[in-house]
Amino acid sequence: MSDPVARRAPWIAGVLVAAALVVVIVMTTPWHLIDLPKPDATLDFTQAEIDRQNQFRHELLPWSTTSWILSLLVPLYIGFSPVGRRLYDVHRLRRWYVAVPVLVAALGLLASLLTLPSDALAEQVTRDYGLSTESWGLWLRDRAVNWALASLALTAIAMGLIALAKKWRTWWWAPAAIAGAVLVLGVSFAYPVLVEPRFNEFTSMAAGPQRDEFMQLAREDGVPVKDVLVADASKRTTTLNAYVSGFGSTRRLVVYDTLLKDAPPAQVRLVIAHELGHAAEGDVLHGTLIGALGAAFAVVLLKLLLGARMADPRRTALLLAMIIAGSALAGPVQNLVSRRIEARADYHSLRLTNDPRDFVEMQHQLSVRNISGLEPSRWRYWMFASHPTSPERIAMARAWGAERGDPVPPLVNR
């Protein structure tokens, strides 16, 4: 093909993929479910509970924020400065397909070591407040597994992009964009089978009334669930949670053992109904589609920014820095969509159970138990909040109940 066509093609593809991504997000995200009153934490949380949450955040956030800043600044500095190419050269490995994995693993290890002190201090805070129960040995083991998995994933991405750019200097981005989208789809299928077992052990819930209730609830909701699994979360945390993992033949309902042990049955049922809402609404597929389009757009953007320079393995650190920068910039949009999706799952739970009173009590108990943020700062809310706050979720349940003649009184007497 002519040079003008080769120059215009990535711009056209980028516009088309970006437009498709925007259309999917705008058209499939549930932007409005119900008119909500202004959330008010003082309606349902005592001053002591609010003060405890504030004190927990006051002690935790300096360390978690330090880790986040370091995890961004270190790779960005290395990647966007000559340091990245010098680190590649220092290996003196003649084969690029050997040097690239070494560099990726080394940079990941460096970032992990630099954030180790602040991460450890943050972990100590969660221990002091009774949220973390894992041993320091298990904590270090989890960090090592995270480093290994991240290094493996980033190595595969970097080597794939470099190899394609070496083979097709001009058009490498086209097969790479397709491969990126397919990779996201594959990870959605494989994650429950290959990654989750690296951190928790899962056992099928024993036959009995509670399992039968969960399966019956799924049938009533029209959601095919392959199995109900219990995760041994208590070896790491005291928090309460459940989730639906995978889709198709890999879909299963996963329940924390802490939830089964410490939450009343009515509240457990509401949590399960929320998770079934994700499956009923196809949220995993929805997220996978957005992720696939996002991956394809990211590859086209790399083409526009790097061009044929992608074939130079000495720019591996720059590639990693651009991936990290892109992930950080995309975070607020991802969280915005996620909060809306989670709100829809809450709405689904209310419709399925018709139990706004227990829903409010459940959200209160979960928030107190998990010491969830009640009123995070605006920038933290946009950057990190993948779920609505507990007062926002309670406000939805209260509005839902009021519409149906079942008002929910405040949990705190004012």
Side-chain angles (χ1 to χ4, degrees):
M1 293 186 183
S2 65
D3 288 341
V5 172
R7 285 195 299 268
R8 288 196 300 267
W11 287 99
I12 295 172
V15 170
L16 291 176
V17 175
L21 183 59
V22 171
V23 168
V24 169
I25 291 176
V26 171
M27 299 301 294
T28 64
T29 302
W31 298 109
H32 180 75
L33 296 167
I34 189 172
D35 292 329
L36 299 178
K38 183 179 180 180
D40 185 354
T42 62
L43 291 175
D44 303 287
F45 295 87
T46 66
Q47 191 59 49
E49 291 168 342
I50 294 174
D51 290 344
R52 182 170 184 261
Q53 183 274 330
N54 288 335
Q55 184 61 31
F56 173 67
R57 299 292 167 191
H58 176 73
E59 296 180 27
L60 176 69
L61 291 180
W63 307 121
S64 60
T65 302
T66 298
S67 291
W68 177 70
I69 292 174
L70 286 174
S71 67
L72 281 177
L73 292 185
V74 171
L76 291 180
Y77 169 73
I78 293 175
F80 287 101
S81 72
V83 174
R85 279 175 285 181
R86 292 171 185 166
L87 287 176
Y88 181 90
D89 292 335
V90 80
H91 295 307
R92 299 187 183 279
L93 298 173
R94 296 182 179 180
R95 307 294 184 182
W96 71 268
Y97 48 81
V98 176
V100 167
V102 171
L103 180 61
V104 171
L107 291 177
L109 182 60
L110 175 62
S112 185
L113 291 175
L114 289 174
T115 58
L116 182 63
S118 52
D119 283 347
L121 289 168
E123 171 66 14
Q124 184 59 55
V125 173
T126 64
R127 291 166 183 266
D128 293 341
Y129 279 81
L131 292 180
S132 176
T133 60
E134 65 180 334
S135 67
W136 284 107
L138 183 57
W139 183 78
L140 289 171
R141 179 257 183 198
D142 285 348
R143 287 179 62 87
V145 171
N146 277 325
W147 165 75
L149 291 175
S151 297
L152 182 63
L154 290 173
T155 295
I157 293 171
M159 292 185 67
L161 290 173
I162 294 170
L164 287 172
K166 283 181 173 294
K167 186 173 181 60
W168 295 293
R169 290 269 176 171
T170 302
W171 291 91
W172 62 266
W173 58 273
I178 296 172
V182 172
L183 179 63
V184 170
L185 180 61
V187 169
S188 294
F189 275 106
Y191 189 89
V193 178
L194 299 180
V195 178
E196 289 178 2
R198 306 286 78 80
F199 296 95
N200 288 104
E201 292 184 7
F202 300 90
T203 56
S204 293
M205 179 179 284
Q210 193 168 41
R211 186 183 191 281
D212 292 342
E213 180 184 20
F214 294 165
M215 297 301 288
Q216 178 61 30
L217 196 63
R219 284 191 292 269
E220 292 175 0
D221 206 22
V223 177
V225 174
K226 181 181 180 181
D227 198 3
V228 179
L229 303 180
V230 179
D232 60 340
S234 57
K235 69 181 181 182
R236 288 182 172 83
T237 183
T238 60
T239 57
L240 312 179
N241 201 6
Y243 59 92
V244 171
S245 180
F247 54 87
S249 62
T250 65
R251 180 185 291 154
R252 67 266 186 90
L253 175 63
V254 180
V255 186
Y256 278 20
D257 56 355
T258 52
L259 180 67
L260 296 175
K261 178 183 177 183
D262 297 332
Q267 295 182 21
V268 175
R269 187 170 185 269
L270 281 158
V271 173
I272 299 304
H274 169 97
E275 300 306 329
L276 289 174
H278 286 306
E281 299 290 349
D283 290 341
V284 175
L285 287 171
H286 175 255
T288 299
L289 176 58
I290 292 177
L293 289 171
F297 177 72
V299 171
V300 177
L301 193 59
L302 284 173
K303 162 62 180 177
L304 296 175
L305 294 173
L306 293 179
R309 291 176 296 174
M310 179 63 72
D312 182 3
R314 297 176 72 242
R315 299 183 184 273
T316 298
L318 174 60
L319 171 61
L320 298 182
M322 295 177 74
I323 291 174
I324 291 171
S327 298
L329 292 173
V333 176
Q334 292 173 329
N335 286 328
L336 172 62
V337 174
S338 176
R339 287 193 298 270
R340 300 294 182 175
I341 295 297
E342 293 296 335
R344 181 172 63 187
D346 284 343
Y347 193 77
H348 185 97
S349 176
L350 288 165
R351 289 192 293 109
L352 186 59
T353 63
N354 194 29
D355 191 1
R357 293 172 181 261
D358 274 322
F359 185 96
V360 169
E361 182 63 37
M362 173 197 69
Q363 290 298 333
H364 172 265
Q365 292 296 336
L366 287 177
S367 182
V368 171
R369 178 66 175 263
N370 299 343
I371 321 183
S372 304
L374 301 178
E375 295 175 326
S377 63
R378 186 173 296 274
W379 83 270
R380 287 189 180 279
Y381 183 77
W382 284 98
M383 285 299 300
F384 304 116
S386 60
H387 290 61
T389 65
S390 296
E392 288 175 329
R393 303 174 93 163
I394 288 173
M396 172 183 281
R398 190 163 277 128
W400 191 90
E403 282 190 355
R404 287 153 183 80
D406 187 12
V408 182
L411 298 182
V412 176
N413 294 323
R414 304 184 69 182

